[in-house]
Amino acid sequence: MKNTMLKYLLFICLPITLGLEAQTKFASVFGDHMVLQRNTNIKVWGTDAPNTTVKITASWGVSKSVITDAKGKWYGTLKTTKAGGPYVLEAKGSGNAELNDILLGEVWLCGGQSNMAMKLKGGPGQHIEGSNDIILNSTNSNLRFFTVNKAVSETPLNSCVGEWQVSRPKTAAEFSAVGYAFGLRLQKYLGVPVGLISSNVGGTPAQAWTSKEVIVSEFPEFKKDFSKEINTKSATVLYNGMIKPLIPFTLKGAIWYQGEANRWNAEQYSRLFPAMIKNWRTQWNQGDFPFYFVQLAPYIHGKEGWVKLQQAQLKTMLTVKNSGMVVINDIGAKTRIHPPKKKEVGERLALWALAKDYEVEGIAYSGPTFKSIKIEKNKAFIRFEEAPLGITSLEKELTNFEISDENGKYHPAKAKIIEKGMALQVWSDNVLHPKHVRYAWKSYVEGSLFNTAGLPASSFCTENWDVILKQ
């Protein structure tokens, strides 16, 4: 009798269980404790049975009804208000889905390879400077994280694995150190909730984070990746698995720390990286949203390809609209590809956002960038942008300058700051007729050229880009 009754209960419950699996769901990037972009129109989407009306309701006072398509997907747009919360977001269709403890604030995507993926607690044998104290003081209900689990896919995915978490020692320790420092500086200054989405995999090149359409049309040299077994370095596979599922979750902008895996072809990267940025912006359909990135840190084992990759990054900053680059040649680690000063990196990224996107006046956000060169007899005179009060060595010795002779050969050079910081004089006793100057042209240097805000100048060369990036 018991067995008969059990079979009966299973019979009547099974259809209900199967039905629940097809009921109303939000997309995987949505969840309890998330942050949604304030003061804008956000995209909200999910799944339900085909041709079903789904009513989306937000407790800040808006709602919208949408109908699922033939594949059961639904999309809607909701207007958000000023920063605040907690709120509830609900979707009612064939079932009911409810998300709680939602805040409205600022949302940023943190992408790249291992230097962005590096957790606040550090990695095996590699510390993050000051991490224990930072973790101890990380409890902050207005700072929240979503980390996308690694996913490699040959085709674009609709979902990813991850969950929104409120910042506290246990969760902060596991989050991106650079992302945490960036988000914390924004949150503290702005006084609003900040949500960070981390999507990173160590050792990965930019082509892995770029869609197949762009690779096929602009970089046919990577098409061979589509005919062999894939891994995290294969073209498009991380875009498919770890970026596509996030689109079109409404963002304020993105920060990026990557490039080491592309160092063998700087000229290619000078085209690939801007193409990837454009690709993301096109897919998100939010216009030219802010995209700020980190130049490669000094590293003794990088060899010359390192410097040329830095130049490809510099060119990207100077040519791609609404982009910015953080230079860290003063806080590198000679024998560590993962420098421990991640707090400074994240905070410098935040300076770009605060100045450019949150209209904070009076702060510097960029180090000096080369503007012009003038040759007078045996000396070169160089001027810089992003140095309104001039340049300085911060009381260091000016080092790592070179000057070329009439045959194009570079020689070690001396440098002197003149005109109350408004110009740099460079010369060599071995060069009577100089042509060009370059600075920090080695894989490992300790930066000695700054603006008066203490932000370092990038490595640079006064020759044209075709010469600089020539393989």
Side-chain angles (χ1 to χ4, degrees), residues 142-439:
N142 284 314
L143 185 59
R144 302 183 174 196
F145 320 124
F146 183 100
T147 298
V148 180
N149 283 14
K150 183 170 72 173
V152 175
S153 177
E154 293 181 285
T155 57
L157 302 182
N158 293 319
S159 64
C160 61
V161 177
E163 62 177 340
W164 283 93
Q165 298 177 320
V166 180
S167 180
R168 61 183 191 277
K170 183 178 180 180
T171 58
E174 298 293 329
F175 193 71
S176 161
V178 170
Y180 179 87
F182 169 82
L184 182 64
R185 173 164 274 198
L186 291 189
Q187 197 282 312
K188 291 296 185 183
Y189 184 87
L190 299 173
V192 303
V194 171
L196 304 169
I197 301 173
S198 176
S199 188
N200 315 282
V201 179
T204 55
Q207 62 266 27
W209 299 95
T210 306
S211 77
K212 187 172 184 177
E213 292 78 10
V214 172
I215 294 298
V216 170
S217 63
E218 299 181 40
F219 301 93
E221 61 267 36
F222 295 127
K223 289 171 67 174
K224 62 183 184 298
D225 288 5
F226 305 138
S227 60
K228 62 183 182 181
E229 186 176 351
I230 63 171
N231 56 45
T232 57
K233 295 178 173 59
S234 302
T236 81
V237 296
L238 298 179
Y239 172 87
N240 291 338
M242 300 179 66
I243 296 299
K244 182 61 171 64
L246 306 177
I247 300 171
F249 194 87
T250 307
L251 307 172
K252 182 67 174 184
I255 59 173
W256 178 259
Y257 193 166
Q258 186 273 336
E260 296 92 340
N262 289 96
R263 66 186 181 274
W264 306 118
N265 196 333
E267 188 283 325
Q268 181 190 70
Y269 193 77
S270 72
R271 295 177 286 110
L272 175 60
F273 186 30
M276 190 205 81
I277 297 172
K278 181 181 178 180
N279 182 202
W280 287 21
R281 287 171 169 175
T282 299
Q283 294 302 312
W284 251 279
N285 195 28
Q286 286 187 212
D288 294 325
F289 61 73
F291 198 103
Y292 305 129
F293 55 93
V294 184
Q295 190 179 55
L296 294 190
Y299 177 53
I300 196 168
H301 301 301
K303 308 304 179 185
E304 188 174 346
W306 212 255
V307 181
K308 289 193 174 184
L309 198 287
Q310 290 175 339
Q311 300 312 294
Q313 293 172 314
L314 177 61
K315 183 181 180 183
T316 299
M317 180 191 74
L318 296 173
T319 57
V320 173
K321 183 179 179 180
N322 212 14
S323 70
M325 183 179 76
V326 166
V327 178
I328 56 172
N329 60 25
D330 60 325
I331 53 174
K334 191 171 186 178
T335 59
R336 271 189 59 175
I337 200 169
H338 304 125
K341 293 182 179 291
K342 291 291 187 283
K343 177 176 179 286
E344 292 84 348
V345 177
E347 290 180 344
R348 289 180 186 180
L349 283 164
L351 290 175
W352 276 94
L354 289 168
K356 292 293 189 178
D357 306 301
Y358 302 108
E359 301 178 351
V360 179
E361 298 180 350
I363 62 170
Y365 51 88
S366 171
T369 57
F370 166 71
K371 180 181 181 181
S372 64
I373 181 172
K374 183 178 181 182
I375 304 295
E376 292 185 3
K377 296 182 179 179
N378 68 328
K379 292 183 172 63
F381 297 86
I382 299 175
R383 297 184 182 275
F384 297 88
E385 295 181 312
E386 303 297 346
L389 296 178
I391 54 174
T392 175
S393 67
L394 296 182
E395 300 185 352
K396 296 180 178 182
E397 179 185 0
L398 286 169
T399 58
N400 295 304
F401 287 91
E402 298 172 85
I403 195 165
S404 71
D405 58 27
E406 60 268 37
N407 297 317
K409 181 181 178 181
Y410 279 91
H411 302 261
K414 299 176 183 178
K416 180 181 179 181
I417 295 171
I418 59 174
E419 298 181 19
K420 296 183 179 180
M422 291 296 117
L424 182 72
Q425 183 185 86
V426 184
W427 75 98
S428 169
D429 295 336
N430 297 320
V431 179
L432 296 179
H433 304 287
K435 292 184 67 177
H436 291 286
V437 169
R438 65 188 188 188
Y439 165 67

Side-chain angles (χ1 to χ4, degrees), residues 35-40 42 80 104-107 250-252:
V35 179
L36 297 173
Q37 185 62 38
R38 61 175 171 161
N39 296 326
T40 190
I42 63 166
T80 56
L104 301 183
E106 297 297 302
V107 182
T250 307
L251 307 172
K252 182 67 174 184

Side-chain angles (χ1 to χ4, degrees), residues 48 96 180 258 464:
D48 204 334
N96 183 48
Y180 179 87
Q258 186 273 336
N464 64 52

